[in-house]
Amino acid sequence: MNKRNKFRFLDLPIVVTRNVLSTMDPLNIFDFSQTSKRCRSYATFKKFPSDNLIIILEKFPHLLIEYEGNFYEFVMTDEKEKDRKRETKVDVSDGIRYEAVFVYSNNIMKDFNKLYTNVISVMNKKIQCVSFWLNLLEGKIEESVKWAKLRFPNVERIHVNGPNVPHKDVQYVLDNITPTFRVRLMAGTSEKLPLKIEGTFEQLRIGSGSWITVDHAMNFNFPYVMLMGTNITNQELNMILKNWIDMKCHLNTKQLEINLIDRDNFLDAVLENIPYEIAESRELENPKHGTIEEGFNIKRIDGHTCAIYICDGPDGYYLISFFNEK
Amino acid sequence: MSSTEQGTSSAAPAEPTTAPESAAAPEVPESFYYVHGKDKVVHKVSAGALQHSALIHGMISNLGYTEEQAKANPFPFENIDGDILQMVVDWCNQHKGKPTPPEDTNLPKQKEKLFDLVLAVNYLEIKELLTYCCKQVAMMVKGKSPEEIREIWMIPTDAEDEAAEKEAKKRAGKEAAGETAAAAGDAK
């Protein structure tokens, strides 16, 4: 052995090996853990504070890891020449880095099972979210849902995505997998028919809500409800607020967000015949969303208050109501 | 100790560069210390530069050496190669009294040198330089496959680890048996 090339990593003091591992990203840590049993136990030194591990189900499954504000992804492929190829993108607007590595397999699901179980074992984490891309699943929706249901019966979050997908496919996912924390429904159905959404989770987020009527909006009683892309009018928003005042809806809801289709007549229509006081402005959790102006406090018949604000998000204006704050 | 001036490194400046001082504000003259590695080449380093090393800083605190005493008593680091100590001294001089930048691209690219530098820096407890070195070590395997990582970092296979473990156990057993026999002999 040429002395100049000698580098026995495992002979370094433990404090140094830990320091080196702490600078490595999840993709590298995982590869390191695969070199030997000893390296696998070293790899578990590394702490991963983020709790965001997402399985993305599309034609080929992915495992996405959020780590230190960036994203790292294992992407399965059936193209041998792509094996171990890396892709890196950096979002110039926010500097977020996205790094993916392709993993070739001729038995995709079997090898993906092995891969994700290995990764979560090395990271000492669990899968928090399963995300379905229905438009990319190419006739494997039932199979994918069964796969996810079997492995993640108590998953915290599910995401359902895809434009113009059949209503029955979205409903199939919702009927078969109930998360413990959040449903994020960004899929748009071609039929635009109402979806039945039931469960005891905390958050419901709907991105393509053109099917949502005022009745649906009043019946979603989850602690956090976000409904975007709806055709709900200002008069209907007024009805929702009046029903809340009369304790007929959203008794369990703490935060309700609905897109505004008519920003201009807000005061005249949304707050028509509702006594209100000006509310103090407040910071929103998402820094990309800002409140447009001061808010309005309204009161329920039992004395609980609700603070209402108009916000400007990436998809336009929306109304945000902080209910039951007393 | 043969810390003669013949050993003063040609690369190491006899008088380390010091920051320009204001004539209007006379300050206490900077004190210097002397270190040498395995090759006995003595390096003169200012106390300011040595502050990067927690180990040396701890050694010189409250020492109160005069220039002559310091020169006569260089700190010996027999476990550090001369060229590696030179690199460390240069780095400490370059970063004396300055905030350290987030990256350092001047670290050695040769694996052996980097390995020895890491060991030296860890021993001397130079936190910032250790961080750079560790990043450089991590970069050696960035994007590499497990097989490539094994080759670059010379990681033994499971079979090799098992064999080494067996060998170590066997050796330990023999040593223990030897000690027992010796103790029995003593008792007689």
Side-chain angles (χ1 to χ4, degrees):
Chain A
M1 168 65 65
N2 178 355
K3 189 175 182 285
R4 305 316 302 176
N5 285 326
K6 204 181 102 187
F7 196 108
R8 292 188 185 277
F9 179 68
L10 298 181
D11 287 353
L12 287 169
I14 196 83
V15 63
V16 176
T17 51
R18 283 187 186 212
N19 204 334
V20 172
L21 296 175
S22 76
T23 70
M24 288 165 69
D25 68 43
L27 303 181
N28 278 123
I29 286 284
F30 180 69
D31 283 334
F32 169 70
S33 76
Q34 300 304 292
T35 55
S36 74
K37 283 182 192 163
R38 190 145 61 112
C39 290
R40 190 186 173 88
S41 76
Y42 272 62
T44 56
F45 289 158
K46 168 95 172 180
K47 298 283 175 266
F48 291 93
S50 158
D51 262 350
N52 213 355
L53 272 80
I54 303 174
I55 282 186
I56 299 170
L57 295 170
E58 48 180 75
K59 184 182 176 190
F60 298 125
H62 305 203
L63 173 63
L64 182 69
I65 301 161
E66 188 181 352
Y67 170 65
E68 290 186 339
N70 297 311
F71 291 91
Y72 299 88
E73 190 169 33
F74 293 95
V75 184
M76 300 302 289
T77 178
D78 63 352
E79 297 171 58
K80 197 159 191 183
E81 62 278 11
K82 271 191 169 178
D83 191 32
R84 297 214 49 83
K85 278 212 171 130
R86 282 219 183 196
E87 274 180 7
T88 305
K89 289 178 210 156
V90 179
D91 189 328
V92 284
S93 65
D94 47 23
I96 292 176
R97 189 181 175 82
Y98 167 90
E99 203 155 321
V101 62
F102 288 94
V103 180
Y104 164 76
S105 167
N106 56 12
N107 192 340
I108 298 269
M109 288 319 284
K110 185 177 165 224
D111 287 339
F112 183 65
N113 283 342
K114 241 193 259 175
L115 174 85
Y116 91 78
T117 45
N118 246 329
V119 171
I120 59 177
S121 149
V122 169
M123 292 179 70
N124 195 22
K125 294 281 171 191
K126 58 178 188 170
I127 299 294
Q128 279 79 34
C129 177
V130 180
S131 179
F132 296 88
W133 281 87
L134 300 181
N135 57 323
L136 303 174
L137 269 166
E138 298 187 355
K140 292 191 292 184
I141 290 167
E142 206 177 312
E143 183 191 327
S144 301
V145 168
K146 281 182 181 156
W147 181 89
K149 191 179 177 180
L150 181 69
R151 282 159 186 82
F152 312 107
N154 297 311
V155 71
E156 278 176 22
R157 293 175 273 144
I158 59 164
H159 295 177
V160 188
N161 307 288
N164 261 339
V165 290
H167 174 272
K168 67 172 179 48
D169 289 348
V170 181
Q171 193 61 60
Y172 183 76
V173 177
L174 295 171
D175 288 346
N176 283 283
I177 301 188
T178 306
T180 57
F181 181 66
R182 179 195 298 163
V183 169
R184 185 169 172 266
L185 194 55
M186 294 293 145
T189 68
S190 34
E191 302 91 334
K192 305 203 185 322
L193 291 170
L195 291 158
K196 201 174 90 190
I197 304 171
E198 288 172 344
T200 53
F201 45 89
E202 294 277 308
Q203 296 194 356
L204 172 66
R205 298 180 183 218
I206 298 178
S208 299
S210 57
W211 54 273
I212 295 173
T213 64
V214 67
D215 283 339
H216 294 128
M218 285 195 289
N219 282 314
F220 293 137
N221 195 28
F222 304 99
Y224 174 97
V225 179
M226 183 198 91
L227 309 172
M228 295 293 151
T230 73
N231 295 316
I232 291 175
T233 64
N234 284 357
Q235 286 70 28
E236 287 170 326
L237 287 173
N238 175 264
M239 191 197 298
I240 293 171
L241 293 178
K242 283 179 175 166
N243 272 288
W244 174 78
I245 289 169
D246 292 339
M247 297 181 69
K248 289 178 184 161
C249 70
H250 294 301
L251 297 180
N252 190 38
T253 304
K254 292 188 175 126
Q255 190 168 328
L256 171 68
E257 297 174 23
I258 303 182
N259 64 296
L260 270 180
I261 55 173
D262 179 10
R263 154 89 178 81
D264 294 336
N265 295 316
F266 177 78
L267 265 186
D268 294 341
V270 178
L271 293 179
E272 189 186 11
N273 297 326
I274 298 178
Y276 64 82
E277 288 172 1
I278 298 300
E280 284 175 13
S281 63
R282 69 161 86 188
E283 295 281 318
L284 296 181
E285 269 180 38
N286 188 334
K288 285 184 183 170
H289 298 210
T291 51
I292 293 301
E293 50 204 27
E294 66 219 344
F296 308 91
N297 278 332
I298 63 172
K299 230 175 219 178
R300 206 163 70 174
I301 50 173
D302 64 350
H304 279 71
T305 60
C306 165
I308 301 166
Y309 296 87
I310 301 174
C311 303
D312 188 10
D315 300 320
Y317 294 115
Y318 64 96
L319 180 78
I320 181 165
S321 310
F322 298 100
F323 285 133
N324 308 329
E325 291 204 305
K326 189 179 174 184
Chain B
M1 169 70 58
S2 60
S3 59
T4 57
E5 284 296 321
Q6 64 78 28
T8 304
S9 153
S10 57
E15 296 299 327
T17 5
T18 47
E21 288 168 15
S22 160
E27 284 173 11
V28 180
E30 193 168 22
S31 50
F32 289 88
Y33 292 88
Y34 295 80
V35 295
H36 73 73
K38 210 182 273 180
D39 61 358
K40 309 282 191 232
V41 175
V42 175
H43 305 269
K44 181 180 179 183
V45 202
S46 71
L50 286 177
Q51 283 206 339
H52 282 291
S53 163
L55 178 79
I56 302 178
H57 184 65
M59 287 159 84
I60 62 178
S61 295
N62 306 318
L63 209 53
Y65 271 177
T66 62
E67 179 73 23
E68 284 67 33
Q69 284 170 321
K71 202 180 272 185
N73 298 289
F75 293 110
F77 296 109
E78 306 283 356
N79 53 342
I80 301 176
D81 279 347
D83 57 340
I84 299 294
L85 188 63
Q86 175 75 67
M87 272 186 226
V88 174
V89 166
D90 288 347
W91 189 90
C92 289
N93 278 327
Q94 279 162 18
H95 296 86
K96 185 177 78 173
K98 289 182 201 162
T100 47
E103 298 292 332
D104 193 328
T105 51
N106 294 323
L107 297 177
K109 299 285 183 285
Q110 295 145 301
K111 289 198 270 179
E112 166 87 3
K113 278 223 190 297
L114 183 59
F115 189 86
D116 290 344
L117 181 65
V118 172
L119 290 179
V121 168
N122 180 57
Y123 176 72
L124 295 170
E125 298 175 49
I126 305 176
K127 201 178 158 203
E128 294 92 343
L129 186 50
L130 184 62
T131 303
Y132 294 140
C133 290
C134 289
K135 279 185 188 168
Q136 178 101 340
V137 173
M139 284 308 291
M140 290 166 74
V141 296
K142 171 101 180 147
K144 304 291 184 197
S145 67
E147 293 72 28
E148 290 167 324
I149 294 173
R150 182 199 308 288
E151 198 176 311
I152 295 166
W153 278 354
M154 302 180 72
I155 291 166
T157 60
D158 288 340
E160 286 167 337
D161 273 340
E162 279 162 27
E165 201 181 330
K166 260 187 201 165
E167 188 57 40
K169 269 185 191 163
K170 217 160 118 185
R171 218 173 26 241
K174 270 184 189 167
E175 279 168 16
E179 276 170 22
T180 316
D186 289 347
K188 279 178 191 172

